[in-house]
Amino acid sequence: MPVHTSRGHGVLWWLLLAFGVLLAIVAGTALWAFQKLEGNIRTDHAATRELEAHAAERPDAGTGEARNILVIGEDWGSGTGNARSDTVLLLHLSGDGERAEALNVPRDLVVDIPGCRTPDGDRSEPRHAQFNWAFQFGGAACTIRTFEQLTDVRVDHHIVVGFEGFADIVDAVGGVEVELAEDEHDPNVGHDLSAGLHRLDGEQALAYVRARVFVGDGSDLNRLLRQQDFLGRVYQKVTTQGTLTNPARLYPLLAAVTSSITADPGLDSLDALADLVADLRAVPDGGITFHTVPTVPHPQRPNRLTLDHPAADDVFADLRADRPLPERA
């Protein structure tokens, strides 16, 4: 299934890998294994309650068949001691089943974040800050509310993928090879590899995909491209080396994947995820595309972004109307 890639973050590759594996085993796994794996998936009841409390301020759900699923990549490796959303993508499934569009929201986009319920039960103050801070302030519910207020696009479901589980996935497939043209060292994330060919275990792989400041040009985009490349290698290894047909290899992988997923009550089961996979697989060739919210450099904040009007407004309007997103996005 061809995929037009733009600046979609690597975590979606990981999520699609998880979905594909889940679909492969839903019909054939023994009942005890199915129940154990399904029990690994956590349900985000806190976000559900918070969104219900703010139902009056949310965009209308709409009357069509289109669905919007917010995919949040959770990362505890920022050095802040708090989880932030390393990645946020809106997966838009068109009502006619002909399109699946993944819209990346840059984490450095400066937005208005509403007051949110914090993990300790207090409420944060409304802030004008970068988008990925919303998850730190109030988890998935705060990220969803921030996204909806920014775009006026209703989020129907959400999935949080914990990046820490990535190391377990790499170990489950027996490690993944990378070849470096030069030595790489990033003390911020514990990344230290010499030039040449390496088979990375889970811990090394996690440092590799997190490396940024001292690797390449030091940009976030460079890190995202590394993540995409590495996760493509994971996908290739899973699909070409018999993992899907070998229960001894498949079960540890599935255990790692399901243990990394937190979802709302509508997507918190293997059956629900498998149905979503089936919908993605049914999209015609070329119908899955990746896009990024149009942005420009922020005029007052170095290394931060602001919406590019009117291009961003057009993208949000297309989502609300279930129209194909423009190529410029």
Side-chain angles (χ1 to χ4, degrees):
M1 184 163 45
V3 178
H4 301 298
T5 58
S6 176
R7 293 178 64 183
H9 286 30
V11 72
L12 188 61
W13 279 91
W14 181 24
L15 187 65
L16 292 178
L17 166 65
F19 283 166
V21 173
L22 287 168
L23 181 63
I25 56 87
V26 161
T29 304
L31 179 60
W32 70 268
F34 184 96
Q35 292 174 335
K36 182 173 177 58
L37 291 170
E38 182 152 306
N40 290 341
I41 302 171
R42 294 174 295 275
T43 305
D44 197 349
H45 294 296
T48 299
R49 289 192 296 269
E50 181 70 359
L51 292 174
E52 288 175 348
H54 294 275
E57 70 185 35
R58 302 186 65 193
D60 292 336
T63 58
E65 297 296 323
R67 286 166 292 161
N68 294 313
I69 301 166
L70 203 66
V71 181
I72 303 170
E74 178 184 13
D75 187 8
W76 284 85
S78 62
T80 65
N82 297 292
R84 289 184 179 173
S85 53
D86 183 69
T87 300
V88 174
L89 290 171
L90 184 75
L91 180 61
H92 176 81
L93 302 176
S94 66
D96 60 10
E98 297 294 308
R99 292 176 286 110
E101 296 159 323
L103 180 69
N104 167 47
V105 185
R107 65 181 197 169
D108 292 337
L109 176 64
V110 177
V111 299
D112 289 324
I113 300 175
C116 297
R117 182 171 296 280
T118 62
D120 60 8
D122 291 333
R123 297 204 70 84
S124 64
E125 294 294 326
R127 295 280 296 274
H128 190 63
Q130 63 190 65
F131 181 74
N132 71 323
W133 287 18
F135 192 85
Q136 177 183 338
F137 294 155
C142 194
T143 299
I144 291 168
R145 292 177 60 215
T146 301
F147 176 85
E148 290 183 339
Q149 291 182 24
L150 178 72
T151 66
D152 199 29
V153 173
R154 173 81 173 213
V155 173
D156 300 306
H157 297 286
H158 72 275
I159 299 172
V160 179
V161 181
F163 206 47
E164 292 290 347
F166 175 72
D168 294 331
I169 291 174
V170 173
D171 285 335
V173 301
V176 175
E177 289 187 346
V178 297
E179 187 165 10
L180 304 181
E182 57 186 21
D183 295 350
E184 291 188 355
H185 179 63
D186 188 342
N188 289 343
V189 295
H191 176 58
D192 189 8
L193 293 174
S194 60
L197 185 66
H198 298 268
R199 180 184 294 273
L200 305 186
D201 62 20
E203 183 177 355
Q204 292 171 316
L206 191 58
Y208 175 85
V209 298
R210 279 177 169 158
R212 173 185 176 184
V213 177
F214 299 96
V215 174
D217 62 7
S219 69
D220 190 45
L221 176 58
N222 179 68
R223 178 172 62 172
L224 298 178
L225 293 174
R226 284 165 65 90
Q227 290 180 1
Q228 285 181 327
D229 174 74
F230 190 87
L231 290 160
R233 294 171 187 268
V234 176
Y235 181 86
Q236 183 179 35
K237 187 164 185 181
V238 169
T239 56
T240 61
Q241 296 193 14
T243 300
L244 297 180
T245 57
N246 184 338
R249 293 182 180 179
L250 180 59
Y251 188 82
L253 175 62
L254 290 172
V257 168
T258 53
S259 296
S260 303
I261 293 176
T262 302
D264 69 81
L267 284 177
D268 61 346
S269 70
L270 289 177
D271 283 339
L273 292 175
D275 288 343
L276 177 57
V277 173
D279 291 338
L280 286 170
R281 290 171 63 89
V283 174
D285 287 352
I288 297 182
T289 57
F290 290 78
H291 309 264
T292 299
V293 171
T295 60
V296 293
H298 197 284
Q300 283 86 40
R301 302 193 184 192
N303 302 317
R304 297 294 179 265
L305 302 170
T306 189
L307 290 179
D308 181 9
H309 298 289
D313 303 312
D314 292 342
V315 169
F316 303 149
D318 288 339
L319 284 171
R320 292 191 296 270
D322 194 20
R323 294 189 296 260
L325 296 185
E327 289 295 328
R328 66 178 178 274

